[in-house]
Amino acid sequence: EQHYDPQALQAKWQRRWEELQPFRADDDPADTRERRYVLDMFPYPSGDLHMGHAEAFAIGDVVARYWLQRGHNVMHPIGWDSFGLPAENAAIKRNAHPAEWTYANIDTQANSFKRYGISFDWSRRLHTSDPEYYRWTQWLFTRFFERGLAYRKGGLVNWCPADQTVLANEQVKDGRCERCGAEVVRRELTQWYFKITDYADRLLDDMTQLEGEWPERVLTMQRNWIGRSEGADVDFAIEGRDEPVTVYTTRPDTLYGATFFVVAPDAPLAEEIVSEEQREAFEAYRAEVAKLSDIDRLSTEKEKTGVFLGRHAINPVTGERMPVWAADYVLSDYGHGAIMAVPAHDQRDLDFARAFDLPVQVVVHTGLADPGETGVATAGEGTLVNSGPLDGLSKAEAIKKIIEVLAGRGTGRAAVNFRLRDWLLSRQRFWGCPIPIIHCPDCGEVPVPDDQLPVTLPDMRGEALAPKGVSPLASADDWVTVACPKCGGSARRDTDTMDTFVDSSWYFLRYVDPSYEEGPFDVEKLRLWGPVDQYVGGVEHAVLHLLYARFFTKVLHDMGMVDFTEPFRRLLNQGQVINQGKAMSKSLGNGVDLGQQIDAYGVDAVRLTVVFAGPPEDDIDWADVSPAASQKFLARAFRVMAEAGAASAPGADVSTGDLELRRFTHRTVDEVTKLAESHRFNVAVARLMELTSAARRAIDAGPGAADPAVREAAEALAVMLSLVAPYTAEEGWERLGRSASVARAGWPVVDPALLVQESVTCVVQVAGKVRDRLEVSPEISEAELEALALASDKVRAFLDGDPRKVIVRAPKLVNIVP
Ligand code: ANZ
Ligand code: ZN
């Protein structure tokens, strides 16, 4: 019986895997296999798995299964990021508890993962909403608090009017709530923050470890988000104020061109220095500005607005009086909340100067037309003019010089500034990790003692959870009122919960032992496994989760709990699954249901389709792929394995097998190895298709199914195919008379003697252009090949005299620089 029935195989092998547990990672230090930690970004339990999961997890599984076949001790865990708003919203709607929805969905997803054949070590499963887990999230918060890394402050925060909670800067995308899309407004609130800014330098510097290992665009996004800039702090005297006011500038060289001064309207300084005549206008303006997001305020498109504060600052080098304005394009929480405006060389300053008729003074000659006339600021390099001792200098020289001058007078100094803000972590919602702080009227903020953790959520459900602008926890009186752990007096619990990104900032550490009770994670076991060797997930986390997890890791490193400073050695961002060129959406009606695809074609065909569609980073348009064709290929591969299995027994002497097929098999293994190492899984699948065809030809028109070379090809096929189509591979392996599981069969060993080709084509380039092709022995030495290439007439025609340089990559390429 060689009929290929994918659904029957699935049921059979799921059962067998439950028995055999082939994907258990071994924590025993005596296990000397090299350890590898493969991690998929854990899912949020919103309904069943979808096509996006299908892609991400299929790709992560190729890596995990490949390393297992290579003989490594692989840890490939799974868990759920199970706190969060959707559960709460569903609970309000159905008058239920968020846990019901959450854990029901987790079960659904877990079953789907099992069906999807992902090689998880299920014994390491965790859920961030379990008290056993969030006890440690609270423990970590307490440690951060003790180190001064968690603190409360008042200020303007991002508020989502739909979700009725604050948001971190990282969760505001183009002025909208990252989750629900509502326009974010600003609110004055006292909130908890993590002091991620203390780590700004290290978050930036340690990126050298990730260079070449993480996608460049993620590194760029993080770099920009951290936004380190170098410049100077310059002190300006303000008429009638004793203390000078400091501004941060990246262009201290343009100081002679600073013609006015701008203060953020929401900065305390503006309120302090505004003159009596201007106060009313200022207050009206400030009220208007409060409605705007930072994005609006910084937009270069937006018409410039502002109000004169009725005061003057003094330019420290020209001695000129500079009117002081308040304008929304200056932010209160960046730099020092005030700027020196250089309209000639900064576009926003120029727009403002033109709107309010303020002077424009060119101090850098760039060769471009006068900004005062064109309205286009000249921000580029040039030669300093109208700048006293700086005249004639370049920008870099002038920056150095002016900083020396200012430092000498004590009115300025070199300075570094970061765009990164502290991480606002409190949320006014229910279904999250309670902040383990008690507010005592006498003792202030008192952390809940470790032995009283976890602070569990009170039992609340349905309507009681509806957003009210304050946390639902505030209405749980019995829960809120507690004795102060310090003085025993009556005190109140903090009623906010933590941003769910706190939960996910350390989950990868807990997988080493999710039931560990002595701490958030077993430090010893982590020493065996950490850091993560390969992380797989979506690019949408570039400045959220990935930045936060890096921050947590560094803090834990400073606490002596982890040895490494970067949590994820390598990162792979899979593309998205789209349909008909567009993201799948209900409104477009172009959604593709994973369950239906699996029912129609089988798990392996779906997985193979996803992996074969293109490089893992690319989007997959479901309209362009064919799971039916994948299924056909798998049936073909299955028949090759089944026929070989029926015709011969394991252990035959392969050296007597058909040489041509043997060569093909070994070349394929060699190539697939390299392709797997470099994550070119789609090409690897193409090679398996070729191997299947070669074996088929050998069976039908060559030495026949009983030839040991056919068995060798079929066995290699089963092992390599197990990375993408585990069910088919298991069944094929069994038909080949081998014992389960193919997942641990071991990667086929390449015989180098069989890789030798009779001849290969060597390309000879002159100045980057192909000028000749030579048939050479694959064994040719570099010297021989160079001599051969230089002797070619076709090459000599493009050379006069000796070449400057010859780069030889034997046997395939010679590159001549004339
Ligand atoms: C004078 C100047 C002249 C500037 C010039 C730029 C060009 P980055 O690189 O992002 O750090 N700035 C400083 N504080 C600000 C605030 N609170 N709100 C808005 N803008 C602020 O940017 C630093 C530059 O942004 C500073 O350098 C300052 O403008 C402005 F030809 O100072 B510059
Ligand atoms: Zn107290």
Side-chain angles (χ1 to χ4, degrees):
E1 169 61 270
Q2 282 152 31
H3 173 66
Y4 177 65
D5 178 354
Q7 308 294 346
L9 297 187
Q10 287 164 209
K12 168 178 171 183
W13 286 100
Q14 274 169 51
R15 254 192 337 272
R16 297 292 297 280
W17 291 331
E18 290 283 347
E19 288 156 31
L20 297 167
Q21 297 287 331
F23 310 116
R24 273 282 173 96
D26 190 352
D27 291 319
D28 186 350
D31 187 328
T32 56
R33 289 177 299 162
E34 238 181 81
R35 290 189 153 73
R36 290 288 163 88
Y37 183 179
V38 185
L39 185 65
D40 305 286
M41 289 184 187
F42 64 167
Y44 180 77
S46 52
D48 203 349
L49 300 184
H50 52 66
M51 291 304 293
H53 295 115
E55 181 184 17
F57 287 93
I59 288 166
D61 208 36
V62 174
V63 178
R65 288 175 176 270
Y66 172 69
W67 281 341
L68 193 61
Q69 295 285 19
R70 299 292 301 183
H72 300 312
N73 187 359
V74 175
M75 179 165 80
H76 186 202
I78 184 68
W80 276 268
D81 189 10
S82 49
F83 270 139
L85 263 186
E88 199 168 327
N89 292 339
I92 295 164
K93 227 173 160 176
R94 300 171 193 190
N95 195 26
H97 194 281
E100 291 166 23
W101 183 92
T102 302
Y103 288 92
N105 283 346
I106 288 177
D107 278 346
T108 304
Q109 291 194 351
N111 288 330
S112 294
F113 273 132
K114 287 184 178 164
R115 181 182 185 209
Y116 201 53
I118 303 296
S119 67
F120 291 134
D121 178 346
W122 284 97
S123 69
R124 294 170 193 270
R125 175 173 176 171
L126 58 77
H127 317 122
T128 59
S129 56
D130 291 350
E132 304 82 72
Y133 183 92
Y134 71 73
R135 167 184 181 191
W136 298 110
T137 306
Q138 293 171 339
W139 185 93
L140 287 166
F141 177 94
T142 308
R143 297 291 90 73
F144 279 47
F145 177 79
E146 288 163 358
R147 298 174 80 83
L149 291 173
Y151 70 96
R152 235 158 53 115
K153 73 168 179 198
L156 279 179
V157 298
N158 305 304
W159 177 264
C160 172
D163 290 334
Q164 297 262 313
T165 182
V166 299
L167 301 170
N169 285 344
E170 287 81 0
Q171 288 164 318
V172 181
K173 296 271 141 75
D174 301 327
R176 292 177 178 276
C177 171
E178 178 228 9
R179 187 176 280 284
C180 75
E183 207 162 320
V184 169
V185 298
R186 307 281 276 169
R187 263 207 182 180
E188 177 82 31
L189 281 175
T190 297
Q191 298 284 298
W192 284 98
Y193 291 82
F194 279 139
K195 216 166 184 187
I196 191 171
T197 51
D198 269 12
Y199 285 74
D201 259 320
R202 284 165 66 187
L203 286 165
L204 203 61
D205 294 346
D206 287 352
M207 261 186 237
T208 50
Q209 293 179 46
L210 310 175
E211 219 70 65
E213 308 291 339
W214 280 34
E216 194 46 51
R217 66 170 168 167
V218 174
L219 295 177
T220 303
M221 283 165 85
Q222 289 215 1
R223 237 177 250 122
N224 292 342
W225 187 261
I226 297 166
R228 183 182 196 273
S229 71
E230 279 178 27
D233 278 348
V234 184
D235 306 332
F236 283 75
I238 306 269
E239 286 176 358
R241 188 179 196 264
D242 293 339
E243 287 293 306
V245 172
T246 305
V247 304
Y248 173 73
T249 174
T250 44
R251 294 292 304 275
D253 57 312
T254 62
L255 184 51
Y256 283 81
T259 53
F260 59 101
F261 195 92
V262 188
V263 179
D266 42 343
L269 178 68
E271 156 110 71
E272 179 209 310
I273 65 173
V274 64
S275 69
E276 276 323 306
E277 305 82 77
Q278 289 297 95
R279 183 166 292 277
E280 201 177 319
F282 163 70
E283 276 169 7
Y285 180 64
R286 186 173 58 180
E288 281 307 304
V289 174
K291 296 179 190 153
L292 301 174
S293 71
D294 283 4
I295 309 274
D296 294 333
R297 289 175 59 164
L298 289 174
S299 162
T300 41
E301 260 97 82
K302 189 178 153 293
E303 202 189 310
K304 289 283 169 286
T305 60
V307 38
F308 178 50
L309 293 182
R311 295 284 284 260
H312 286 81
I314 305 298
N315 184 315
V317 286
T318 64
E320 304 256 0
R321 295 176 81 220
M322 306 157 70
V324 179
W325 287 68
D328 60 0
Y329 76 99
V330 174
L331 304 178
S332 59
D333 61 354
Y334 191 75
H336 303 285
I339 65 157
M340 65 181 220
V342 184
H345 306 296
D346 182 290
Q347 191 61 48
R348 277 178 284 155
D349 294 346
L350 182 58
D351 293 342
F352 193 83
R354 286 165 71 91
F356 295 99
D357 216 5
L358 295 159
V360 178
Q361 168 71 14
V362 173
V363 290
V364 183
H365 183 72
T366 60
L368 295 172
D370 183 352
E373 258 136 52
T374 60
V376 180
T378 54
E381 302 279 333
T383 308
L384 273 285
V385 292
N386 303 324
S387 294
L390 306 181
D391 280 355
L393 298 182
S394 70
K395 174 177 152 188
E397 290 164 346
I399 289 178
K400 194 160 171 270
K401 173 91 189 231
I402 191 75
I403 289 176
E404 272 166 28
V405 170
L406 294 171
R409 296 200 219 149
T411 57
R413 58 217 70 86
V416 168
N417 193 49
F418 291 93
R419 203 180 147 253
L420 184 69
R421 297 278 82 98
D422 279 340
W423 170 10
L424 197 172
L425 73 103
S426 22
R427 295 291 177 275
Q428 289 69 47
R429 298 300 300 253
F430 172 78
W431 190 233
C433 176
I435 293 172
I437 291 285
I438 290 166
H439 300 279
C440 168
D442 293 326
C443 314
E445 293 158 354
V446 182
V448 174
D450 288 353
D451 60 10
Q452 289 169 33
L453 298 179
V455 176
T456 51
L457 288 166
D459 189 12
M460 295 176 78
R461 56 175 54 233
E463 249 317 291
L465 306 179
K468 319 169 185 51
V470 290
S471 174
L473 291 177
S475 60
D477 289 330
D478 292 351
W479 182 88
V480 170
T481 314
V482 283
C484 166
K486 257 197 191 150
C487 70
S490 177
R492 286 174 62 82
R493 287 192 192 283
D494 198 290
T495 55
D496 284 350
T497 52
M498 295 185 214
D499 180 1
T500 56
F501 280 106
V502 181
D503 311 329
S504 55
S505 288
W506 68 280
Y507 77 109
F508 49 93
L509 305 169
R510 180 124 182 115
Y511 278 135
V512 298
D513 185 353
S515 57
Y516 191 63
E517 289 193 356
E518 311 305 316
F521 50 90
D522 183 332
V523 171
E524 289 309 314
K525 281 190 188 155
L526 186 64
R527 233 169 239 140
L528 297 173
W529 290 110
V532 172
D533 292 290
Q534 178 67 61
Y535 202 19
V536 180
V539 73
E540 65 274 16
H541 290 296
V543 288
L544 286 156
H545 164 60
L546 290 170
L547 188 70
Y548 296 149
R550 295 183 60 222
F551 163 58
F552 259 61
T553 302
K554 289 174 201 310
V555 177
L556 288 164
H557 178 82
D558 292 351
M559 288 166 64
M561 291 181 67
V562 304
D563 295 337
F564 43 87
T565 51
E566 284 294 331
F568 314 121
R569 274 206 179 110
R570 270 184 113 182
L571 173 69
L572 192 157
N573 288 141
Q574 82 282 0
Q576 284 185 353
V577 185
I578 57 175
N579 194 21
Q580 295 146 3
K582 299 196 186 68
M584 294 185 198
S585 78
K586 276 210 182 90
S587 59
L588 288 176
N590 65 341
V592 177
D593 183 74
L594 175 60
Q596 276 169 14
Q597 294 292 308
I598 291 176
D599 289 342
Y601 305 105
V603 166
D604 283 358
V606 172
R607 291 180 55 157
L608 188 113
T609 302
V610 157
V611 174
F612 185 48
E617 299 82 5
D618 288 7
D619 288 350
I620 301 174
D621 191 334
W622 208 249
D624 295 344
V625 297
S626 171
S630 299
Q631 195 191 32
K632 277 205 188 104
F633 157 66
L634 289 170
R636 249 189 349 261
F638 173 72
R639 280 193 298 273
V640 162
M641 296 184 281
E643 287 173 33
S648 70
D653 179 5
V654 279
S655 66
T656 63
D658 178 70
L659 194 58
E660 200 190 331
L661 179 59
R662 293 205 67 207
R663 283 216 164 106
F664 198 96
T665 302
H666 284 257
R667 261 205 313 276
T668 303
V669 174
D670 186 52
E671 283 180 41
V672 171
T673 309
K674 289 172 186 146
L675 292 165
E677 295 284 349
S678 56
H679 293 178
R680 288 154 69 206
F681 309 128
N682 57 320
V683 188
V685 171
R687 293 286 171 276
L688 298 184
M689 291 174 171
E690 288 161 18
L691 179 60
T692 303
S693 302
R696 184 81 254 160
R697 272 194 309 277
I699 294 173
D700 294 345
D707 190 281
V710 170
R711 164 165 287 275
E712 184 182 40
E715 289 190 357
L717 181 62
V719 173
M720 294 188 286
L721 198 60
S722 74
L723 311 190
V724 270
Y727 291 110
T728 311
E730 289 283 14
E731 185 68 15
W733 191 243
E734 191 178 72
R735 296 293 183 100
L736 282 158
R738 305 297 227 117
S739 59
S741 155
V742 70
R744 282 170 171 269
W747 197 244
V749 178
V750 175
D751 178 351
L754 291 168
L755 294 182
V756 176
Q757 283 169 279
E758 310 299 283
S759 74
V760 292
T761 306
C762 173
V763 169
V764 186
Q765 296 182 330
V766 181
K769 290 211 173 65
V770 177
R771 296 304 184 190
D772 201 3
R773 290 192 161 79
L774 308 168
E775 286 300 312
V776 299
S777 152
E779 258 79 29
I780 192 161
S781 74
E782 300 214 330
E784 259 180 294
L785 189 57
E786 177 172 343
L788 213 58
L790 290 173
S792 151
D793 288 342
K794 287 186 195 156
V795 169
R796 296 186 70 84
F798 293 95
L799 292 174
D800 48 335
D802 284 340
R804 275 201 294 140
K805 199 167 169 193
V806 183
I807 303 151
V808 184
R809 294 275 175 274
K812 288 197 168 154
L813 178 73
V814 178
N815 193 352
I816 299 168
V817 185

